[in-house]
């Protein structure tokens, strides 16, 4: 169903069938990026679980073939399309190789995006968020070495927790199916987004404190 709209795409130069490809299999002319999703740009099945090696292989092959240097002496249309197709390829690669970015894109594809402006604390993180913010307040009002060490330990624990959540995504993707999965994905991605923000706050606070320290 998804692929059918590309089936009759033809190469603008030689007329060969190009489907969703970025390059003509006949004359190797770069093609306009397909309108479909980022998976189709790389010729990958539309699935949350992506084969990392396959992704790399396809990206590097297409990237070499589309490189503007290779089309420098071709007609203007080929030069221009090689740039457009390369840009589409790079965007697809950057989004799909990163499990978090891929998950967020998946939510967008399903009309259920994760909103940046959602500041509600995910319930599973509420206790840690509260504790962290309290410590940061204390640290800002009196940056004793003991407090600094405590905040550094909190920082390391948050880093480990974030790594754990990100690793769990791969497991979720491997078994991904059904409608309930979108809600589960959204919940986990919002926890990751929230933890990243919190970690940024902690790093900023530690930076401010050591900044003050350095000036003395
Ligand atoms: Zn062609």
């Amino acid at each position: 169903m998804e692929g059918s709209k590309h089936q009759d795409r033809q190469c603008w130069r030689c007329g060969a069938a190009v489907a969703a490809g970025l390059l003509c299999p006949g004359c190797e002319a770069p093609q306009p990026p397909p309108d479909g999703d980022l998976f189709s740009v790389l010729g990958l099945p539309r699935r949350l679980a992506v084969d990392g090696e396959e992704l790399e292989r396809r990206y590097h092959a297409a990237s070499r073939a589309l490189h503007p240097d290779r089309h420098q002496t071709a007609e203007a249309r080929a030069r221009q399309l090689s740039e457009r197709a390369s840009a589409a390829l790079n965007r697809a690669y950057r989004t799909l190789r990163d499990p978090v970015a891929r998950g967020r894109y998946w939510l967008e594809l399903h009309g259920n995006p994760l909103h940046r402006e959602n500041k509600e604390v995910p319930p599973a993180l509420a206790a840690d968020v509260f504790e962290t913010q309290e410590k940061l307040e204390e640290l800002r009002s009196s940056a004793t070495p003991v407090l600094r060490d405590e905040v550094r330990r909190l920082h390391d624990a948050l880093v480990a927790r974030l790594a754990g959540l990100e690793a769990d995504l791969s497991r979720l993707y491997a078994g991904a199916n059904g409608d309930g999965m979108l809600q589960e994905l959204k919940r986990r991605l919002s926890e990751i987004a929230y933890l990243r923000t919190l970690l940024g706050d902690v790093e900023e606070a530690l930076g401010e404190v050591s900044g003050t320290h350095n000036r003395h």
Side-chain angles (χ1 to χ4, degrees):
M1 196 172 59
E2 178 59 28
S4 62
K5 67 181 172 217
H6 300 306
Q7 263 166 18
D8 46 8
R9 284 215 323 164
Q10 288 182 321
C11 174
W12 56 272
R13 189 155 72 190
C14 74
V18 293
L22 291 172
L23 274 171
C24 171
C27 73
E28 299 193 333
Q31 304 297 314
D35 303 326
D37 56 53
L38 299 180
F39 296 91
S40 68
V41 169
L42 280 148
L44 290 167
R46 183 165 153 160
R47 278 205 312 254
L48 258 176
V50 164
D51 178 340
E53 282 177 23
E54 182 72 2
L55 173 77
E56 293 293 325
R57 198 185 58 72
R58 285 173 177 269
Y59 168 70
H60 290 291
S63 186
R64 271 193 304 275
L66 286 170
H67 199 283
D69 286 355
R70 280 185 64 144
H71 303 278
Q72 232 168 17
T73 57
E75 62 270 59
R77 183 157 189 206
R79 290 200 307 269
Q80 188 234 339
L81 282 175
S82 76
E83 284 169 21
R84 270 181 61 200
S86 293
L89 178 70
N90 288 330
R91 177 167 173 255
Y93 175 65
R94 277 198 306 270
T95 305
L96 298 186
R97 79 172 158 175
D98 170 13
V100 175
R102 192 192 319 144
R104 296 179 77 118
Y105 174 65
W106 190 260
L107 289 178
E108 274 173 41
L109 264 185
H110 290 82
N112 193 357
L114 194 66
H115 294 293
R116 269 181 192 285
E117 63 272 20
N118 183 8
K119 294 286 180 225
E120 212 173 295
V121 183
L125 298 178
D128 299 281
V129 169
F130 183 73
E131 187 197 352
T132 305
Q133 281 169 348
E134 213 175 42
K135 280 286 170 228
L136 292 188
E137 278 307 308
E138 286 178 44
L139 181 71
R140 287 192 183 101
S141 55
S142 84
T144 64
V146 174
L147 264 175
R148 268 208 298 272
D149 283 348
E150 276 183 51
V151 172
R152 275 197 201 100
R153 273 198 297 277
L154 271 176
H155 171 270
D156 295 347
L158 290 175
V159 168
R161 181 132 186 216
L162 185 57
L165 283 176
E166 290 178 357
D168 278 349
L169 280 183
S170 311
R171 277 192 283 280
L172 177 71
Y173 294 172
N177 53 41
D179 290 343
M181 191 271 159
L182 276 188
Q183 284 315 312
E184 176 71 5
L185 176 61
K186 195 167 190 176
R187 186 179 66 72
R188 294 189 191 202
L189 289 174
S190 82
E191 286 177 11
I192 287 171
Y194 206 95
L195 265 186
R196 284 180 173 180
T197 305
L198 188 63
L199 203 49
D201 292 346
V202 171
E203 280 165 5
E204 196 181 298
L206 282 172
E208 278 168 20
V209 167
S210 58
T212 313
H213 182 75
N214 289 342
R215 280 199 294 275
H216 287 293

